[in-house]
Amino acid sequence: MIGVTRDMDGQDAYRLALQTREQHIRRDKATSNICTAQALLANMSAMYAIYHGPEGLKGISNRVHNCALTVNAGLKKAGHEQLNKNFFDTLHIVAHGMSTTEVKARAEAKKINLRYFSDNSIGISLDETVKTSDISDLLWIFNCSDIDSTLADPTVMNMSIHKTQFKRTSPFLTHPIFNKHHSESRMVRYMKQLENKDISLVHSMISLGFCTMKLNSTTEMIPCSFRHFTAIHPFVPVEQAKGYKQMLTELEKDLCEITGYDKFSFQPNSGAQGEYAGLRAIRSYHESRGENRRNICLIPISAHGTNPSSAQMAGMKVQAIRVNHNNGTIDIAHLKEKVQQHSDNLSCVMITYPSTNGIFEDNVVDVCELVHKYGGQVYLDGANMNAQVGLCRPGDFGSDVSHLNLHKTFCIPHGGGGPGMGPIGVKSHLAPFLPTHPVVYPLSGSENTSFGVVSAAPYGSSSILPISWAYIKLMGGRGLRRATQVAILNANYMSKRLENHFKTLYTDPNTSLVAHEFIIDVRDFKKTANIEAVDIAKRLMDYGFHAPTMSWPVTGTLMVEPTESEDKEELDRFCEAMISIRKEIQDIEEGRLDIRVNPLKMAPHTQKQTVSSEWNRPYPKELGAFPAPFVKPETKVWPTVGRIDDLYGDKHLVCTCPPMVPNYE
Ligand SMILES: *Cc1c(COP(=O)(O)O)cnc(C)c1O
């Protein structure tokens, strides 16, 4: 959900509404656990509507409808029955004088898949890719004799939906954006303008801890546009998808080897959906043993917000477990107490390893043993697999189920939040409870014991799986291990480079090292310079960087995950930006910069502000917009809005873009 707020110059600014992140804020009280978005796909649909506009879309839909009308008329002439009284693009046929087997054989001869209902009726759906030759083929399949005259027959229009009460009369896509960009040149320019507003991996590293943003290599991504992967319906007969089956089988085998699990389900479309599916599998497992009462889910307070909200959605009751103040690890004494207190109805514990605080917990094996001893199951959130692949395996610690974020660890790009794939791996005792599917029997789950379905498609967003498959095959075992080692090394390098300037909140008590990400504690600057994490995050934009994860998992801090994809030069550049910001904070602390109007509080600096003749801030423009030698005019990414008013946006949820007037009658 996108809300509208305003920046310090009063311009409109669009941003994710508070409501969109509710699982992080409301945790087990949340009514949705959605984290990964389908923003990229939504943008594709939006661009389709922008390009064609209302008139173009009407043209397309009329053509589709006319094709359906022609097929309808032809089939009727050939003596078949069409059951849909009103239709747009879909016909429901009862064939007369032909068996379904015969229709199917003729359809397959023309390489056409139809929908065969269990009552022997047949479904035909058409879309705008249908050509005249496809219509001829369909009529041929159903033994129509006079195909050419049917194609030319204007009376087929008698059944048109335009002659019924279902004809649309209200206007649609009235917003100006849908009525402007109808040529390829205009469309490309418009998309480029939007792209120019974004900072992405083509500009600089994105240090979002928690949400691994690594290289999405071209070689891995190219197969996603192969027709063989994209132009295939999720419900095609399995013998037509042998390539997919091979890819899924190989990927499953590799992921089992990487994680130590026995079986994978590729149905969940995101990490959060994987959590939900994994927890439902745990519930079904308990129920199969007559232990329906087991419904308590223990979750450390450091857990990602999706964990408690998924548990709640899966019908469990969430109990929070404390973490140790000194190093952010799970408070084992508290866990023990809770496990014993709920021993009768303990369902599971959800842990993250390495922890969200960036620490490999020594006692992860003990945690699993403790929970098992009291009849519970262990869900290990696999989002931090980037720090484990090739080094250690959740299955070996004693964990029973995990999701993997293929869009984090395994290279699927998730700019804008999606599309994602959150397959879950399980130990064999949970395998019968994995998701199933009513149309296509998936590789996992068992029809009688599965808890059900989590996605419409049997293998989720399967067309992006070639990316993860190719990544694993290209890297090989040694390459994958090396990637993990470099990811951990990079995080430790940055944490050390910054140690004289910023405090790393949690390090391993024995080694003083971090895992693949680390938390920078900036909370003291509130007292010394009135500077908070958000000011640093905004100031980083002036240096050409996306902010790290802010205020999570610890309020008022910044979490950095460099990943293995960045070279030393880029890590240094980010560190230099942070060190330079630290100097600016010092300038505030020591009075050289104003405590209220300074480059941090006023960040980010827009081009408009910077070139304006009305500059009345007590620091030079150059310091605002070009704060480091590596920020150069020729590579500068200008933020398009200045500091936004978050509170205003949170309080004013605007779902309808101006200038359209909402009509809620
Ligand atoms: C990203 C993440 C999730 C949620 O995964 P989505 O695919 O975004 O739904 C869960 N747990 C952790 C630790 C994560 O980093």
Side-chain angles (χ1 to χ4, degrees), residues 35-36 210 270-272 275 304 306 381 383 403 405 407-408:
C35 188
T36 277
F210 240 43
S270 73
E275 290 168 19
H304 194 268
T306 50
D381 182 325
H403 71 264
N405 298 69
H407 48 292
K408 294 181 182 171

Side-chain angles (χ1 to χ4, degrees), residues 139-409:
L139 296 177
W140 177 85
I141 290 165
F142 285 91
N143 274 332
C144 293
S145 47
D146 45 356
I147 294 177
D148 288 339
S149 67
T150 306
L151 287 174
D153 182 0
T155 66
V156 305
M157 304 297 281
N158 291 343
M159 283 287 289
S160 172
I161 202 151
H162 289 294
K163 299 187 172 160
T164 72
Q165 77 214 54
F166 299 109
K167 176 187 166 63
R168 179 169 192 151
T169 53
S170 56
F172 68 109
L173 299 184
T174 51
H175 192 282
I177 199 67
F178 298 112
N179 295 281
K180 272 169 112 151
H181 304 294
H182 300 323
S183 72
E184 183 165 350
S185 313
R186 289 206 63 140
M187 191 67 197
V188 167
R189 286 172 198 149
Y190 174 59
M191 290 198 287
K192 187 68 192 168
Q193 273 171 27
L194 295 179
E195 189 203 324
N196 286 347
K197 292 180 182 221
D198 271 356
I199 192 143
S200 74
L201 283 173
V202 305
H203 301 103
S204 53
M205 69 181 277
I206 294 181
S207 63
L208 284 175
F210 240 43
C211 197
T212 308
M213 297 290 284
K214 61 203 263 177
L215 173 76
N216 315 118
S217 88
T218 309
T219 316
E220 292 153 13
M221 300 221 289
I222 288 230
C224 289
S225 24
F226 289 177
R227 261 187 72 75
H228 310 81
F229 284 119
T230 57
I232 187 163
H233 193 280
F235 297 169
V236 295
V238 281
E239 61 277 10
Q240 289 177 28
K242 284 188 183 143
Y244 255 116
K245 178 147 188 246
Q246 184 179 341
M247 182 184 68
L248 289 164
T249 309
E250 290 185 20
L251 187 56
E252 176 179 29
K253 184 170 160 286
D254 291 344
L255 294 179
C256 282
E257 194 179 333
I258 287 168
T259 55
Y261 287 118
D262 301 317
K263 196 81 202 144
F264 264 84
S265 163
F266 287 104
Q267 204 172 99
N269 277 301
S270 73
Q273 208 179 19
E275 290 168 19
Y276 174 79
L279 293 170
R280 287 293 305 270
I282 290 178
R283 230 181 81 183
S284 299
Y285 166 77
H286 286 313
E287 282 165 10
S288 76
R289 294 154 52 95
E291 303 203 307
N292 299 26
R293 63 179 192 283
R294 292 195 174 271
N295 70 341
I296 300 285
C297 178
L298 305 177
I299 307 180
I301 54 168
S302 59
H304 194 268
T306 50
N307 289 191
S309 48
S310 298
Q312 181 275 128
M313 287 186 67
M316 297 182 179
K317 288 207 171 64
V318 176
Q319 294 275 314
I321 304 296
R322 290 194 291 264
V323 298
N324 293 311
H325 285 303
N326 53 345
N327 59 7
T329 55
I330 298 173
D331 179 341
I332 297 293
H334 191 223
L335 177 70
K336 212 172 233 166
E337 187 188 309
K338 284 280 184 188
V339 165
Q340 285 167 351
Q341 182 192 339
H342 296 292
S343 61
D344 252 8
N345 41 17
L346 177 66
S347 174
C348 58
V349 65
M350 287 183 96
I351 54 173
T352 308
Y353 184 82
S355 79
T356 46
N357 291 325
I359 302 290
F360 286 101
E361 315 214 12
D362 288 349
N363 45 25
V364 62
V365 174
D366 304 334
V367 168
C368 296
E369 277 174 7
L370 177 69
V371 172
H372 285 151
K373 197 173 131 201
Y374 288 91
Q377 293 281 294
V378 177
Y379 188 105
L380 193 146
D381 182 325
N384 289 348
M385 207 58 209
N386 214 38
Q388 293 183 69
V389 178
L391 299 182
C392 53
R393 312 193 305 171
D396 296 340
F397 312 147
S399 172
D400 302 291
V401 45
S402 295
H403 71 264
L404 298 179
N405 298 69
L406 298 188
H407 48 292
K408 294 181 182 171
T409 313

Side-chain angles (χ1 to χ4, degrees), residues 92-105:
H92 191 178
I93 308 294
V94 177
H96 288 302
M98 287 179 89
S99 69
T100 307
T101 324
E102 196 186 339
V103 173
K104 199 169 173 193

